[in-house]
Amino acid sequence: MKNFLALSLLILIVSCNSKEEKKTETAEAKTPYWQAQNSNTTAGFRGLSAVSDQVAWASGSEGTVIRTVDGGQTWEDVSVPDTDTLQYRDIEAFDANTAIVLSAGLPAVIYKTTDGGQSWKQKYFSMAEGTFYDAMDFWNEQEGIAFGDAINGRLLVLKTKDGGETWEELPFEQRPQALDGQGGFAASGTVMRTVGESQAYIGLGGNEASIFYSFDKGETWAKTITPLQSGQPTEGIFSIDFKNEKEGLIVGGDYRGDSLTKINAAYTTDGGRNWFPVMAGMKPNGYRSGVAIWKNYVFAVGRESCDYYKEGDKAYTPMQGQYYAVDVSRDGAAVWASGPRGAVAKLGFK
């Protein structure tokens, strides 16, 4: 009965309404695969933001930022000048011209472009000891949030209300309180998610795989413990995605490799207050740093392997490729992936 319930709830999470089913009827008859593209760089891309079927941005190592406006036929290097020592672990793009990048480590910076990466302006800078930002997300084009590992026991939280032009740190006493040895993973830019008009989620690992959640745009936070494996600095939650304001998935495991990953997926049906493990036969097949729910599919990616689940299937199906991040476009028309050694791809069907 317990396994049946878990299977039923997982299928519910990835189910789509009748209108979406009609739109994807042709695609469902075919097999999804990653259409690998040429980024003309060997940088690793952990930051990914898809705008449409034609427009996507990626960010990563050596201060690299790239953009495509023709569906991935060509990728243009639009990197922030003189920042090749930085790691841009997350990026948020709103259209072909507007994007915001976030660095991990020191200096901690946020840059914004409004002309397709021809020029960038610094919007945030910090050299505070211990600062390490993991991810950011936006509720809309004006309001966004970012978080970083704990300093003096509390997570760093930044918020913007003007499209990333200015950022304010959440007062210390309002920040989520982390355990010793607990932190976030800047592995795909998706260990923080905004949902709906005011919900926000932060996933942590290390000593405990816990979720901090907020229903008031990050002003106040509550905590719940998830069943993902934890206890080691390499274990925990790496990516979060929601189908709607109630139903969501988290993935992760042990980033040292697929063979060390055992409990790597959990689901919620109550807006993140409680999380339940996905049963063994219905979970991804290894360490996963990125997850995306798209129509009646779930795509889970990792640096060693990737797979997908389709509504009605009995298990995840392997996909070719190794990727860090996966993202559904803002218009819902496409799914993109990015990863090590310049890897970028768009979802196709054959």
Side-chain angles (χ1 to χ4, degrees), residues 310-343:
K310 184 176 73 172
E311 179 189 358
D313 288 352
K314 295 182 179 180
Y316 276 74
T317 300
M319 299 179 74
Q320 292 290 325
Q322 296 83 38
Y323 299 99
Y324 295 139
V326 59
D327 193 41
V328 177
S329 63
R330 295 178 69 87
D331 63 3
V335 185
W336 297 76
S338 65
R341 299 176 297 279

Side-chain angles (χ1 to χ4, degrees), residues 134 147 149-150 155 178-179 181-185 203-208 235 237:
D134 296 288
F147 96 97
D149 290 346
L155 300 180
L179 301 176
Q182 190 179 35
F185 294 106
L204 301 181
N207 288 345
E208 182 181 271
E235 298 175 338
I237 301 164

Side-chain angles (χ1 to χ4, degrees), residues 23 32 80 163 169 171 182 206 213 225 242 281 323:
K23 289 181 180 180
V80 184
E169 295 182 1
Q182 190 179 35
Y213 59 94
I225 301 172
F242 273 73
Y323 299 99

Side-chain angles (χ1 to χ4, degrees), residues 180-182 185 204-209 228-237 253-254 256:
D180 290 341
Q182 190 179 35
F185 294 106
L204 301 181
N207 288 345
E208 182 181 271
L228 263 66
Q229 70 188 74
S230 61
Q232 298 296 323
T234 55
E235 298 175 338
I237 301 164
D254 190 327
R256 290 177 295 178

Side-chain angles (χ1 to χ4, degrees), residues 6-315:
L7 174 61
S8 299
L9 288 171
L10 181 62
I11 290 174
L12 178 63
I13 289 173
V14 299
S15 64
C16 57
N17 60 40
S18 58
K19 183 179 294 185
E20 289 175 325
E21 288 176 350
K22 291 179 182 179
K23 289 181 180 180
T24 60
E25 184 175 353
T26 301
E28 287 181 8
K30 299 180 180 180
T31 301
Y33 73 104
W34 292 117
Q35 297 174 316
Q37 301 171 344
N38 184 9
S39 67
N40 297 306
T41 178
T42 58
F45 293 114
R46 295 185 181 274
L48 175 66
S49 187
V51 176
S52 67
D53 181 70
Q54 296 297 301
V55 178
W57 298 66
S59 65
S61 61
E62 300 174 344
T64 307
V65 181
I66 58 173
R67 178 193 71 149
T68 182
V69 295
D70 58 9
Q73 295 182 51
T74 58
W75 285 84
E76 177 187 8
D77 188 328
V78 293
S79 300
V80 184
D82 303 318
T83 64
D84 57 1
T85 61
L86 299 183
Q87 301 274 339
Y88 289 122
R89 295 293 183 91
D90 203 0
I91 184 168
E92 185 78 16
F94 301 101
D95 51 47
N97 295 314
T98 308
I100 298 169
V101 290
L102 171 73
S103 73
L106 294 177
V109 297
I110 294 175
Y111 282 90
K112 180 179 180 179
T113 182
T114 57
D115 57 11
Q118 295 181 54
S119 63
W120 294 85
K121 294 183 179 180
Q122 188 179 99
K123 302 300 180 179
Y124 175 83
F125 179 89
S126 175
M127 281 295 291
E129 183 178 355
T131 299
F132 189 97
Y133 283 101
D134 296 288
M136 67 176 170
D137 206 359
F138 278 69
W139 289 281
N140 50 59
E141 292 191 9
Q142 295 299 309
E143 297 174 292
I145 189 169
F147 96 97
D149 290 346
I151 295 179
N152 297 323
R154 292 184 181 267
L155 300 180
L156 292 172
V157 178
L158 284 178
K159 294 179 65 178
T160 181
K161 297 180 180 180
D162 55 11
E165 292 295 322
T166 59
W167 295 81
E168 293 185 3
E169 295 182 1
L170 196 68
F172 182 81
E173 63 275 6
Q174 292 178 237
R175 301 176 191 175
Q177 188 168 358
L179 301 176
D180 290 341
Q182 190 179 35
F185 294 106
S188 65
T190 55
V191 76
M192 163 174 270
R193 285 286 192 182
T194 59
V195 178
E197 295 184 356
S198 60
Q199 295 169 219
Y201 300 85
I202 294 172
L204 301 181
N207 288 345
E208 182 181 271
S210 50
I211 288 275
F212 284 99
Y213 59 94
S214 172
F215 296 140
D216 57 8
K217 295 184 178 177
E219 290 298 305
T220 61
W221 296 87
K223 172 187 166 181
T224 187
I225 301 172
T226 79
L228 263 66
Q229 70 188 74
S230 61
Q232 298 296 323
T234 55
E235 298 175 338
I237 301 164
F238 284 77
S239 184
I240 306 167
D241 200 16
F242 273 73
K243 176 181 180 287
N244 52 47
E245 294 182 6
K246 295 293 185 181
E247 302 163 308
L249 287 171
I250 55 175
V251 299
D254 190 327
Y255 73 64
R256 290 177 295 178
D258 288 356
S259 64
L260 296 173
T261 293
K262 307 302 179 185
I263 307 173
N264 66 349
Y267 64 90
T268 182
T269 57
D270 61 4
R273 295 177 177 88
N274 296 282
W275 295 84
F276 306 94
V278 175
M279 61 184 181
M282 294 293 297
K283 64 183 181 65
N285 299 295
Y287 158 68
R288 295 292 178 259
S289 57
V291 66
I293 301 171
W294 182 67
K295 299 181 179 179
N296 62 331
Y297 288 89
V298 173
F299 295 96
V301 302
R303 72 168 187 270
E304 292 185 9
S305 62
C306 305
D307 44 22
Y308 74 90
Y309 174 83
K310 184 176 73 172
E311 179 189 358
D313 288 352
K314 295 182 179 180

